Amino acid sequence: MEKITDKIAALPPGSNYFSLEFFPPKTTMGSSNLRARLDRMSRALRPLFITVTWGAGGSTATKSLELAELCQRELGLTTCLHLTCTNMSRKLVDRALEDAKALGIRNILALRGDPPRSEEYRDVGENGNGSGNGEVDTEEEFEWAVDLVRYIRKQYGDYFCIGVAAYPEGHADESDPAGQSLEHDLPYLVGKVQAGADFIMTQLFFDVEAYDGFEKRLREHESGAFKDMPIIPGMMPIQSYQMIKRTTKLSHARMPPDVMARLDEVRGDDEMVKKVGVDVVSEIVTHVQKEPSPGPRGFHFYTLNLEKAVAFILERTNLIPSSPLDSESAILDVPSPLESLQINGSTHKRPSRRLSSIGSDPHNRVIISGSITSNPDRETTAEEAAVPAEPVNTRANTLAISEGEGSLGREATWDDFPNGRWGDARSPAYGEIDGYGVSLHMSVNQAIKLWGFPTSREDITSLFIRHIEGSISALPWSEQGLNEETNTIKSQLLKLNQKGWWTVASQPAVNGVKSSDPIFGWGPKNGFVFQKAFVELFIPVADWTALHAKLTSSSVVTTVSWYASNASGSFLSSSPNSPEDAGTGSGSTNAVTWGAFPGKEIITPTIIEEVSFRAWAEEAFGIWGEWGRVYPARSVSKRVVDGCREGYWLVNVIHHGYVEREGLWELLLK
């Protein structure tokens, strides 16, 4: 298995390459569908390597290793595993590295992760040497990424190729963009390189002038540490307006005003946002390609488990490597060896495509003894020559599918417009797509600055009310204030929160508003949009008992759907599974936002279903745990926060009467 730096060194001078990043999907169906997507993208796009994000600890880490195994062993892709080190014991780091080695993975992206927590929050039995007695072995401390780089080199020598992260605009610790400084970061980056890092991969950026200055500063640095080192800029395809706003806020990546203006012009139309996004990122790539580089020029794409936008960008910027089999020919449908694709609960057998002249090259090629061909049109390696011709997709046809062309393309990119946790749970991109698991997305100091030290449930009620009123900017479950649409039901939300029913998500009923409406509109022009009102809230156990009785009463049961779960995993819903479906997570599906547009099928960007609610509920109660860890272990604040986690249910109520603007709120507030 190859190291990334060896593969880069083997490329011809002046050439370009790229890599792709994926994260473990949150649902089983998402994982199944990602396998088919990975196979298609690997054949259509041919990345030099791929990376898999890491979720520290528990099931998220296991999913990362499972995805890495799929990529490395089954699909034969050179794989780089992310590994964060803070809040992880040495035992867990050792286990992750040993697992990676066992899988044949030779590449690690060494990252810091979330700011370190207090020692009192390390998991018992996983401290230090893993003795299981709760004692801490402080021989190896992982506070910074440089500690992890140093440790990997000490334990494994040069077995692993190690990459490290860099921030073209400076790293904003404490969630404060005012503190960003490249010059402040440089000594830390030099330290990581001197500790044994082999390549640098940057955070996403859209300010190309900032990146130019960053790379120039590194290449000319007085230490000489970066003179010839591969520096791979990180590219984020723009998948939707809200998503890129959220991502740039969390990463503190500056969005140039001219770029933001281009996106603002089309913000209501997801298709146009994605098209403008392809233009923007393609322009950045083209600009960087023209800049001088001491070696082959690389780019890393944060795919967010989606394929269409990145495929367009790669083709437009000529980053897809050519192959002698690339030619346009007739297309034949043949049985596919891949697993079938699940779409909206149905199973679809996907035909593959192949050249009608499969197995016949334009001319014979000479078999050489080396592992790299200097002239792929005339030469081939012994390994390549030994592979029999198979009925596989050509690059051109497979790329067309990845770009959404034809019926196969529409089927392959059915989830091309993700909607965070309100999207389809069968999509590989389902959820708040960062792939790093449960997090407050801020430091302990920032959390205390926002939420203080609550000493009662009334204090927490006050925080929710202040967030709705706009006096605090975020809650653990919401990284920003109310948008214009939610402001239309602000008074109803205030009344619910004043009862001690803490709302974390909601939307008003909308009946046939024009798609150009400045508050409720979305999608292409000349369409109409509709919404069912829903609200999701944390409710005390006693209140849930009373509400449950109301929701199941004969006068209400036909007008609502609902889902409810608690921290222990107990689950109830208005549409319980049949016995044969028990444990499958199939359950009911509710489209709560839909639109009708000229020349298009009905579009349903927002759905609420059992499988997605279950996945979110686990994360939502996990966030209570993360909030509790902000405070000292035996403090009143921690006891209050942990008590809320155990004493509340998370409930989502959907009112089907979308023509009744007050229907849901009258039901809940009566």
Side-chain angles (χ1 to χ4, degrees):
M1 298 299 177
E2 295 175 293
K3 293 183 178 181
I4 289 170
T5 47
D6 291 341
K7 297 192 74 170
I8 294 173
L11 295 171
S15 60
N16 296 316
Y17 64 92
F18 70 93
S19 56
L20 304 174
E21 178 179 292
F22 299 91
F23 64 85
K26 292 180 180 290
T27 66
T28 301
M29 290 177 288
S31 296
S32 176
N33 288 327
L34 180 59
R35 188 256 180 259
R37 179 162 291 171
L38 278 165
D39 180 87
R40 182 171 54 251
M41 293 178 75
S42 67
R43 289 183 287 112
L45 307 180
R46 300 185 186 132
L48 190 72
F49 64 94
I50 64 101
T51 73
V52 174
T53 66
W54 176 260
S59 61
T60 311
T62 301
K63 290 178 181 178
S64 295
L65 288 166
E66 289 173 349
L67 179 56
E69 180 177 17
L70 167 68
C71 296
Q72 183 79 41
R73 287 187 165 182
E74 186 174 343
L75 298 178
L77 296 166
T78 298
T79 301
C80 177
L81 181 66
H82 294 208
L83 186 59
T84 58
C85 61
T86 52
N87 305 315
M88 289 221 347
S89 66
R90 187 176 67 177
K91 178 183 177 182
L92 287 178
V93 170
D94 283 338
R95 185 186 305 164
L97 291 169
E98 285 300 318
D99 286 343
K101 188 175 181 181
L103 294 175
I105 292 171
R106 302 291 304 275
N107 306 284
I108 299 291
L109 186 63
L111 304 168
R112 182 192 183 199
D114 286 340
R117 298 194 196 102
S118 169
E119 192 66 48
E120 61 192 335
Y121 287 122
R122 290 184 183 272
D123 293 332
V124 175
E126 293 186 343
N127 286 309
N129 58 19
S131 61
N133 59 8
E135 295 179 358
V136 180
D137 178 356
T138 57
E139 179 184 347
E140 298 291 348
E141 292 289 340
F142 300 117
E143 184 176 358
W144 304 97
V146 66
D147 300 323
L148 180 57
V149 175
R150 193 177 292 117
Y151 183 75
I152 296 173
R153 283 286 175 249
K154 175 183 174 183
Q155 298 298 116
Y156 294 91
D158 64 352
Y159 178 82
F160 288 111
C161 173
I162 303 174
V164 293
Y167 297 79
E169 298 165 88
H171 179 245
D173 209 355
E174 298 294 319
S175 298
D176 179 13
Q180 290 177 264
S181 167
L182 174 59
E183 292 302 319
H184 177 269
D185 290 357
L186 275 174
Y188 298 96
L189 193 54
V190 170
K192 288 189 283 189
V193 171
Q194 292 177 342
D198 297 300
F199 67 93
I200 293 170
M201 188 171 285
T202 82
Q203 176 63 276
L204 66 97
F205 66 91
F206 292 96
D207 186 342
V208 71
E209 293 183 2
Y211 179 80
D212 287 345
F214 160 80
E215 185 169 327
K216 184 175 187 294
R217 181 72 179 91
L218 262 59
R219 296 297 184 201
E220 298 175 355
H221 192 265
E222 51 273 17
S223 68
F226 314 106
K227 183 177 180 182
D228 300 312
M229 173 165 285
I231 300 174
I232 308 173
M235 302 284 108
M236 173 71 82
I238 297 174
Q239 306 291 355
S240 76
Y241 184 86
Q242 291 301 327
M243 188 182 300
I244 204 62
K245 292 277 284 186
R246 174 182 183 268
T247 303
T248 52
K249 178 183 177 182
L250 291 176
S251 65
H252 302 291
R254 177 181 175 270
M255 184 67 79
D258 61 318
V259 174
M260 199 68 246
R262 292 164 68 180
L263 293 171
D264 283 338
E265 287 181 6
V266 295
R267 61 183 298 176
D269 187 335
D270 281 345
E271 287 187 8
M272 287 304 300
V273 168
K274 185 161 287 195
K275 288 178 181 178
V276 171
V278 168
D279 292 341
V280 168
V281 178
S282 297
E283 290 162 11
I284 295 172
V285 170
T286 301
H287 173 91
V288 176
Q289 282 175 319
K290 295 176 181 178
E291 296 300 306
S293 174
R297 171 68 76 179
F299 298 88
H300 182 65
F301 289 88
Y302 301 101
T303 69
L304 305 180
N305 287 4
L306 297 167
E307 61 184 304
K308 190 172 181 179
V310 73
F312 275 121
I313 294 166
L314 291 170
E315 184 172 39
R316 184 176 297 184
T317 56
N318 298 312
L319 282 173
I320 302 173
S322 60
S323 164
L325 291 179
D326 291 345
S327 60
E328 300 299 329
S329 298
I331 297 173
L332 299 180
D333 284 338
V334 295
S336 172
L338 292 180
E339 299 172 5
S340 55
L341 185 68
Q342 293 185 354
I343 302 178
N344 295 329
S346 301
T347 299
H348 297 252
K349 294 293 184 181
R350 294 196 305 104
S352 287
R353 297 179 170 192
R354 67 170 175 86
L355 287 173
S356 58
S357 57
I358 191 74
S360 60
D361 287 335
H363 45 68
N364 292 327
R365 290 184 288 164
V366 176
I367 300 175
I368 63 172
S369 58
S371 60
I372 301 296
T373 61
S374 59
N375 187 347
D377 288 335
R378 299 288 175 179
E379 299 173 345
T380 188
T381 65
E383 182 180 3
E384 291 173 337
V387 177
E390 294 180 321
V392 297
N393 297 346
T394 66
R395 186 209 68 82
N397 291 334
T398 311
L399 178 61
I401 294 172
S402 284
E403 292 178 345
E405 293 185 15
S407 60
L408 291 179
R410 288 193 296 274
E411 186 173 279
T413 59
W414 61 277
D415 61 342
D416 196 45
F417 298 102
N419 195 16
R421 62 151 300 212
W422 307 110
D424 195 319
R426 300 163 186 80
S427 167
Y430 166 74
E432 296 297 355
I433 48 184
D434 48 33
Y436 291 99
V438 175
S439 172
L440 296 179
H441 296 296
M442 66 181 66
S443 69
V444 169
N445 290 340
Q446 189 74 7
I448 291 174
K449 182 179 178 181
L450 273 175
W451 309 317
F453 293 88
T455 58
S456 66
R457 292 187 178 183
E458 289 72 23
D459 287 346
I460 294 179
T461 295
S462 175
L463 289 174
F464 276 87
I465 291 173
R466 289 168 59 202
H467 180 249
I468 292 172
E469 292 174 337
S471 60
I472 59 174
S473 60
L475 289 173
W477 302 268
S478 178
E479 295 151 2
Q480 52 193 357
L482 272 59
N483 59 29
E484 290 181 285
E485 177 182 300
T486 310
N487 268 321
T488 65
I489 52 173
K490 181 176 178 178
S491 63
Q492 294 93 325
L493 297 178
L494 280 172
K495 290 175 183 177
L496 287 171
N497 283 273
Q498 287 162 357
K499 291 178 61 172
W501 295 10
W502 303 327
T503 58
V504 293
S506 58
Q507 76 175 24
V510 173
N511 181 25
V513 169
K514 288 186 177 181
S515 60
S516 58
D517 186 270
I519 295 178
F520 302 108
W522 56 273
K525 296 178 180 179
N526 302 316
F528 292 88
V529 299
F530 304 80
Q531 292 182 175
K532 293 179 182 179
F534 77 83
V535 66
E536 189 169 84
L537 39 76
F538 288 106
I539 182 171
V541 172
D543 289 358
W544 165 236
T545 302
L547 179 60
H548 179 261
K550 177 184 285 189
L551 296 176
T552 54
S553 65
S554 58
S555 61
V556 174
V557 69
T558 59
T559 63
V560 297
S561 292
W562 54 268
Y563 305 92
S565 184
N566 63 13
S568 65
S570 298
F571 175 80
L572 297 170
S573 81
S574 55
S575 303
N577 289 338
S578 60
E580 58 270 23
D581 291 333
T584 66
S586 54
S588 62
T589 298
N590 293 277
V592 295
T593 301
W594 64 99
F597 306 96
K600 294 181 178 293
E601 298 176 354
I602 298 295
I603 299 173
T604 56
T606 309
I607 65 173
I608 302 173
E609 55 185 342
E610 177 178 327
V611 64
S612 61
F613 179 82
R614 282 178 178 266
W616 162 242
E618 181 180 354
E619 183 171 334
F621 283 107
I623 291 173
W624 279 109
E626 289 298 302
W627 188 8
R629 290 175 185 257
V630 166
Y631 306 109
R634 286 167 291 279
S635 67
V636 174
S637 293
K638 177 170 173 56
R639 187 164 64 248
V640 168
V641 171
D642 288 350
C644 294
R645 180 180 185 274
E646 301 303 324
Y648 279 67
W649 279 70
L650 180 68
V651 181
N652 189 302
V653 183
I654 305 155
H655 194 278
H656 297 305
Y658 63 90
V659 298
E660 304 171 35
R661 294 192 61 178
E662 297 299 322
L664 175 62
W665 317 112
E666 290 176 354
L667 170 68
L668 296 177
L669 293 169
K670 205 173 212 181

